[in-house]
């Protein structure tokens, strides 16, 4: 029962990710948004998830995971309902933000529920494999469901699907899901929460606005300064807190440190690239939402299949080998996509997208399992929440960073591409100015007359220039993640690091000698 509710919870949390990603072109057209506003549709969901996931984990440990889980389901349903009725980009952002807060409540509590129900770390790894499969399953079906809906009705209806699933899970969990808490007492770390939320929000805002305009703009410089100062204050607050939201001693475990860094770097590259890939299918290949969804399904479907296999073989094959191999596969797949253009066929794309998904599948389950298993069991909930938080920080930065790179490169390339297509004079100047102000989608607002085909061909070529830059950056990030995994995920170092975490946590925790002794025995 606990596993079923955990899987339903993570399914509800991640269902909006691909359903929104494949619908970006339709949303942009319906609401007349520019690239910066469109990137906030994704980031309005991911930012609250990253900012509040640690708080949700601690709140569940102290006040009960079932309560936080149920609250997450209701918030996800409320967010979907808000987006379902949205008639402006602002209301859509608000709905996405509510859904993101709901996901922040669901992710750490679903993993903590599994850790509580399955204390044996070997058995727990199998159940975490099922959890990861449900996460990937939500990513796989979300896009297809959105594509089918958009083929028959408006984009708003893609937000209907999470509502009955969330309410169904709420009804069953209210009566049947057992309550659980962490074995140690604590309280919410408000200084840590406030400084973390400020740092994450200011960083992503600064990156998006810097990409839209200039990183020398006053508001961008102020935002990045706030991010640096808030991040520093967060570290200070956590070091001094008796009940830290994120115990910095966790980073003494190389296993936790490695998987956290890998998760953040990988999600920065991959979530950002999904944002770009969705726009490529819509703006360059002129596919409808369902056509985009089927192609994205090749990635998430392959990842879903391999994730189950990885969960079963983790205790026979080194997680270090699985994660490193998976990341190298992702890197190779991204590099093979560099020659994709408007005429690239489905068959030519399919094997590259499948390779990308296979690599992701080899990473997702072992990465989560190692993060949880590399620390003592009493700290497993915090480790899971911390790993997820950094993963979502990377996911929030992905569309911001790659969206900024895409816009900057495409805008700078457009004049040359227009000239190559034979479009010059006042029309070229008007198009360049419109794109510089409002992104590539602004071309649709300019009367093109007989030159429509030439202009859109040039826009597609400019977009491809930006996409190739994004592919190169994403490949570099995933290769860096592979190097980090190979260097840091050493079994002997992990055991030593875990022992240090146990000793430091036992020394600092305001608990009884017997409880500290129990924690030490568990980590020994």
């Amino acid at each position: 029962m606990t596993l079923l509710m955990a899987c339903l919870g993570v399914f509800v949390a991640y269902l909006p990710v691909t359903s929104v990603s494949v619908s970006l072109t339709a949303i942009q057209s319906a609401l007349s948004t520019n690239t910066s506003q469109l990137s906030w549709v994704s980031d309005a969901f991911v930012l609250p998830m990253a900012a509040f996931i640690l708080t949700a984990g601690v709140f569940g440990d102290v006040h009960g995971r079932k309560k936080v889980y149920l609250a997450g389901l209701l918030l996800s349903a409320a967010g979907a309902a808000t987006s379902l009725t949205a008639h402006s980009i602002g209301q859509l952002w608000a709905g996405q933000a509510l859904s993101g807060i709901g996901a922040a409540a669901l992710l750490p509590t679903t993993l903590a529920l599994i850790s509580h129900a399955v204390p044996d770390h070997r058995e727990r790894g199998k159940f975490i494999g099922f959890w990861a499969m449900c996460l990937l399953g939500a990513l796989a079906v979300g896009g297809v469901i959105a594509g089918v809906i958009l083929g028959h009705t408006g984009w708003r209806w893609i937000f209907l699907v999470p509502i009955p699933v969330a309410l169904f899970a709420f009804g069953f969990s209210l009566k049947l899901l057992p309550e659980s808490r962490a074995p140690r007492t604590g309280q919410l770390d408000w200084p840590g929460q406030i400084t973390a939320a400020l740092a994450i929000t200011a960083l992503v805002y600064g990156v998006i606005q810097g990409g839209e305009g200039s990183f020398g703009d006053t508001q961008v410089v102020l935002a990045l300064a706030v991010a640096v100062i808030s991040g520093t204050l967060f570290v200070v607050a956590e070091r001094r807190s008796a009940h830290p939201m994120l115990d910095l001693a966790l980073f003494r475990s190389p296993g936790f440190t490695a998987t956290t860094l890998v998760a953040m770097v990988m999600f920065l590259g991959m979530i950002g690239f999904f944002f770009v890939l969705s726009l490529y299918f819509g703006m360059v290949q002129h596919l409808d939402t369902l056509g985009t969804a089927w192609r994205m399904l090749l990635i998430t479907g392959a990842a879903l299949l391999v994730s189950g296999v990885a969960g079963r073989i983790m205790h026979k094959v080194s997680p270090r080998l699985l994660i490193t191999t998976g990341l190298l596969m992702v890197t190779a797949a991204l590099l093979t996509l560099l020659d994709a253009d408007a005429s690239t066929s489905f068959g030519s794309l399919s094997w590259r997208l499948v390779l990308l998904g296979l690599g992701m599948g080899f990473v997702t389950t072992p990465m989560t399992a190692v993060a949880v298993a590399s620390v003592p069991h009493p700290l497993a909930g915090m480790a899971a929440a911390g790993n997820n938080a950094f993963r979502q920080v990377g996911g929030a930065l992905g569309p911001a960073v790659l969206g900024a790179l895409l816009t900057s490169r495409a805008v700078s390339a457009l004049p040359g591409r227009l000239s190559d297509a034979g479009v010059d004079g006042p029309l070229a100047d008007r198009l360049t100015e419109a794109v510089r102000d409002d992104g590539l989608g602004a071309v649709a607002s300019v009367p093109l007359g007989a030159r429509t085909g030439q202009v859109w061909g040039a826009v597609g070529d400019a977009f491809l220039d930006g996409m190739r830059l994004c592919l190169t950056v994403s490949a570099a990030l995933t290769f860096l993640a592979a190097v980090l995994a190979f260097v840091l995920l050493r079994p002997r170092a992990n055991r030593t690091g875990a022992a240090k975490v146990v000793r430091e946590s036992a020394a600092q925790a305001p608990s009884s000698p017997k409880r500290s002794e129990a924690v030490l025995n568990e980590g020994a």
Side-chain angles (χ1 to χ4, degrees), residues 440-459:
L440 291 174
V443 172
S445 65
V446 179
L448 303 176
R451 293 191 171 186
T452 299
Q454 292 170 279
V455 170
W456 281 109
V459 169

Side-chain angles (χ1 to χ4, degrees), residues 129-389:
F130 287 120
W131 178 90
M133 287 179 67
C134 291
L135 184 156
L136 292 169
L139 295 178
V141 303
V144 175
I145 291 172
V148 172
I149 290 173
L150 281 169
H152 296 86
T153 185
W155 63 269
R156 293 177 186 82
W157 293 102
I158 67 173
F159 296 101
L160 176 64
V161 180
I163 298 175
V165 179
L167 295 180
F168 172 83
F170 181 89
F172 270 79
S173 301
L174 188 62
K175 293 185 177 181
L176 301 177
L177 187 67
E179 184 60 278
S180 67
R181 293 177 174 82
R184 57 193 179 94
T185 59
Q187 60 189 26
L188 288 179
D189 173 22
W190 288 112
Q193 169 58 57
I194 293 169
T195 52
L198 276 175
I200 294 167
T201 304
L203 177 61
V204 175
Y205 176 83
V207 171
I208 289 179
Q209 295 303 118
E212 177 72 8
S214 168
F215 281 93
D217 291 346
T218 302
Q219 62 177 349
V220 175
V221 172
L222 285 175
L224 296 178
V226 169
V228 172
I229 295 170
S230 300
T232 303
L233 291 175
F234 172 77
V235 173
V236 173
E238 297 310 277
R239 289 179 65 88
R240 295 182 176 181
S241 175
H243 305 282
M245 181 172 68
L246 179 65
D247 192 338
L248 299 182
L250 289 172
F251 289 98
R252 292 184 179 274
S253 165
F256 176 80
T257 302
T259 53
T260 298
L261 288 174
V262 167
M264 184 168 66
V265 173
M266 178 185 170
F267 266 62
L268 194 159
M270 291 311 305
I271 299 298
F273 176 65
F274 282 169
F275 174 79
V276 174
L277 188 63
S278 176
L279 294 178
Y280 160 72
F281 287 136
M283 294 184 64
V284 179
Q285 294 210 321
H286 304 295
L287 299 173
D288 60 14
T289 305
L290 188 57
T292 298
W294 283 122
R295 285 156 178 78
M296 300 289 270
L297 182 61
L298 293 174
I299 303 174
T300 52
L304 175 61
L305 292 174
V306 173
S307 177
V309 175
R312 288 192 293 271
I313 66 173
M314 266 196 307
H315 302 301
K316 298 179 182 178
V317 180
S318 166
R320 179 194 189 195
L321 178 61
L322 289 173
I323 294 172
T324 303
T325 301
L327 289 168
L328 291 176
M329 291 171 68
V330 170
T331 303
L334 292 171
L335 292 176
T336 64
L337 286 165
L338 282 170
D339 65 349
D341 57 26
S343 61
T344 303
S345 67
F346 175 78
S348 179
L349 281 174
S350 60
W351 68 268
R352 313 179 205 195
L353 300 179
V354 168
L355 179 63
L356 185 63
L358 293 175
M360 288 179 59
F362 277 121
V363 174
T364 305
T365 301
M367 185 169 61
T368 304
V370 170
V372 173
S374 61
V375 300
H377 183 249
L379 298 177
M382 183 183 289
N387 185 265
N388 271 305

Side-chain angles (χ1 to χ4, degrees), residues 2 32 47 67 121 141 143 168 204 359 391 416 426 465 493:
T2 298
S32 301
L47 260 179
K67 295 184 182 68
H121 73 92
V141 303
F168 172 83
V204 175
R391 181 186 303 179
D465 289 338

